[in-house]
Amino acid sequence: MGGAADSLDHRFRSLAMSIRHQRNEKRWRPCVRSGLLGIGAVHLQSAVTGVFVVPLTAEVSNVTSGFPHHKHRRLKMDEAFLTVKNELDTEVVVSWVSEHCYQCLYQQLGVAPAAPSLGQPSSVDFIVSTQHEITLQLNRTPATQELCTLPFHFGEHGNYSLWVKNLNDRSLVNCTLVTDADPANSYIPILVAFLIFAGLALVSAIGRIILGLSVVRGILFRISGSMETERLINSELGSPGRTVAPITDNILPPPNNPSKRLRSLDTFRGISLVIMVFVNYGAGRYWFFKHESWNGLTVADLVFPWFVFIMGTSTALSINASLRAGSTRSSLLRKVVWRSLQLFIIGVFIINPNYCQGPLSWANLRIPGVLQRLAWSYLVVACLDLLVARSHLDILTRDAWWSPGLDILLYWPAWLCVLLLEIIWLCLTFLLPVPNCPTGYLGPGGIGDMGLYANCTGGAAGFIDRWLLGENHIYQTPSSRVIYATDMPYDPEGVLGSISSVLMAYLGLQAGKIILHYRDVHTSIISRFLIWGLILGVLSAVLTKCSRDQGFIPVNKNLWSLSYVTTLACFAFVLLVLVYYTVDVRKWWSGAPFYYPGMNSILVYVGHEVFEEYFPFRWRMANNQSHAEHLTQNLVATSCWVFISYVLYRKKIFWKI
């Protein structure tokens, strides 16, 4: 009895120590959220220290035994069951690495015990991620001999078995992965949502066609006329001070010189904004709607640069209109500085939500952000344009041999400044010495690059932010933590990347100059846009070598790398051509519903950030691990903001800074 009591006491002590260990690790557990093989994995091993992290689970079990009762635990999104059955007479270490993790160390998933007897395999269960393809590696212990490697893309909520057995020759080992239960199709909610919105768009288009028929318009006119007559009869006709506006006012022609506004620009801005709001709300919790962990692009990585691009385009048109109206450059400069300051202050408030509970604390105030990046880009680009912009463009000749480059040559001082800024970015990125890191490092650190540079996240960009702003004043949970298990703060809207955002905004301003110089000549505008798109696309192909990780400068949203700017600017020019042609040239599309949020972009962006957690934008879900429920909630929330912007448009309410 004494031995049994001692054993039981030892087990309870181990349990208490394990719980205390989980509490101690609670501070940095969000760094290893499910996105690897995290929440259900037995361990996540640090590439540098070798420390094991207790997984987030209600079960406390032996660290090498897996989860023997996993079938009683409900799978979460992007997870699948994996059962490893080991028929060998030695333990097998199961490790893994994500296909999206470039030059990463294998991380230990767990240990499959030796088979208890011949023909009776041991069994250990794990929960694995289904976001990306992973490679499983099995090693024999204690000799750490590699037995096999298996690349495989697990399906969400699938059930899989990995059999490890000897062949006839005892020196050879066979590893076979079997699907025990087919995965669920998690993309059906996206298909259903697409069909619903496509159906609404089709019904709306058919309705506009029907309402445009002369017969229908005549019927509606007679109905509206009879209603107006009845209203006049029932009213107090002839009472003093009362005048009735003639009905013909509704059909008078517009003024001779109406202000001409390109709907395509507001539509383009609205497209970027609506996708941005949808992504910020969660986008159904699908991985491809989240920001890429490091190199590469997802849908979420497209919209912010497009917003910067179209801001530059609008800046060119706005400054030109103000100068033509007689405004002085000094007055416009004051407005630019004041708008930039307002954007920056609003940005600081909305990304530091603790202001709802009291004054902002400087100790952990995040300084960079989306609106702050917009404020900086707008300030620089608008100031450059004020230096070189011309108030009268009609007097410029188009007959000279250099006229095809007119929209560039006239503003060469501004272009020179932008190119000098980009040279500064290149020099700082590739030549600035960073302590304990290789010069010119562009990697994520963590377990990437075989764990050699774990604390070098972002290279010079991360170093400059930590040096200028301090670790407590930048983003604490960057996307690189998801796959690369980094633990260094890093801000994707940091100081060094702001230089590249100026280039993006100025390319947008260049699009505005094209519109100004070739206005009403649609073929010239479209051809210029396509030429710019081609040039930027070729430059991107050279910089990236048409690969995700192997190029000279990979496409990277976290760094706002040069290739990221050229690639997204290429996409922006092409998309702007499509929107401009369909909305302003052919008038096949009115730009709705994106046109309305595009007219009230600041209000929609700030509003969705401030009221994100409030009904009707968010509510308690019956199953918070359902893509369908998350997608429904996020689409409803985004649609609410589109509807709000439509109502404000009808009321002629616009919030401008």
Side-chain angles (χ1 to χ4, degrees), residues 120-181:
Q120 183 181 357
S122 65
S123 180
V124 59
D125 304 313
F126 305 103
I127 294 177
V128 295
S129 171
T130 63
Q131 288 190 0
H132 307 294
E133 179 180 310
I134 66 173
T135 299
L136 295 173
Q137 183 185 73
L138 280 69
N139 295 321
R140 192 194 305 268
T141 61
T144 64
Q145 174 191 1
E146 181 179 324
L147 300 176
C148 57
T149 57
L150 292 171
F152 192 77
H153 196 162
F154 293 93
E156 187 176 49
H157 295 177
N159 202 332
Y160 304 88
S161 295
L162 176 57
W163 290 82
V164 185
K165 57 182 69 177
N166 282 314
L167 298 178
N168 294 332
D169 185 351
R170 302 285 294 181
S171 63
L172 298 178
V173 175
N174 176 259
C175 302
T176 304
L177 193 60
V178 179
T179 302
D180 298 326

Side-chain angles (χ1 to χ4, degrees), residues 309 313 316 506-516 529 573 576:
F309 179 92
T313 306
Y506 201 82
L507 288 170
L509 186 134
Q510 178 63 33
K513 295 298 185 184
I514 292 173
I515 293 173
L516 289 172
F529 283 174
F573 273 110
L576 187 56

Side-chain angles (χ1 to χ4, degrees), residues 595-633:
Y595 175 74
Y596 308 116
M599 291 286 290
N600 243 324
S601 56
I602 297 298
L603 186 145
V604 172
Y605 182 83
V606 174
H608 99 277
E609 287 280 359
V610 174
F611 297 103
E612 177 182 0
E613 300 298 330
Y614 296 92
F615 184 83
F617 311 111
R618 198 175 298 277
W619 59 84
R620 187 182 299 276
M621 291 181 288
N623 178 14
N624 64 358
Q625 295 301 319
S626 166
H627 281 295
E629 286 198 49
H630 277 284
L631 184 64
T632 301
Q633 184 183 78

Side-chain angles (χ1 to χ4, degrees), residues 319-331:
I319 290 178
N320 176 262
S322 298
L323 291 176
R324 290 173 69 91
S327 299
T328 63
R329 296 176 191 267
S330 58
S331 64

Side-chain angles (χ1 to χ4, degrees), residues 408-438:
I408 300 176
L409 297 175
L410 288 175
Y411 312 108
W412 67 266
W415 268 109
L416 182 61
C417 292
V418 172
L419 294 177
L420 287 175
L421 283 174
E422 199 57 35
I423 291 173
I424 291 174
W425 182 88
L426 291 170
C427 291
L428 290 175
T429 299
F430 291 101
L431 301 179
L432 180 69
V434 179
N436 303 317
C437 299

Side-chain angles (χ1 to χ4, degrees), residues 200-232:
L200 291 175
L202 181 62
V203 170
S204 176
I206 294 175
R208 285 197 301 271
I209 293 174
I210 293 176
L211 291 176
L213 297 176
S214 57
V215 176
V216 176
R217 292 175 63 184
I219 295 174
L220 293 176
F221 181 77
R222 286 195 294 272
I223 294 175
S224 62
S226 62
M227 292 177 63
E228 180 67 13
T229 302
E230 183 179 357
R231 186 188 68 80
L232 293 175

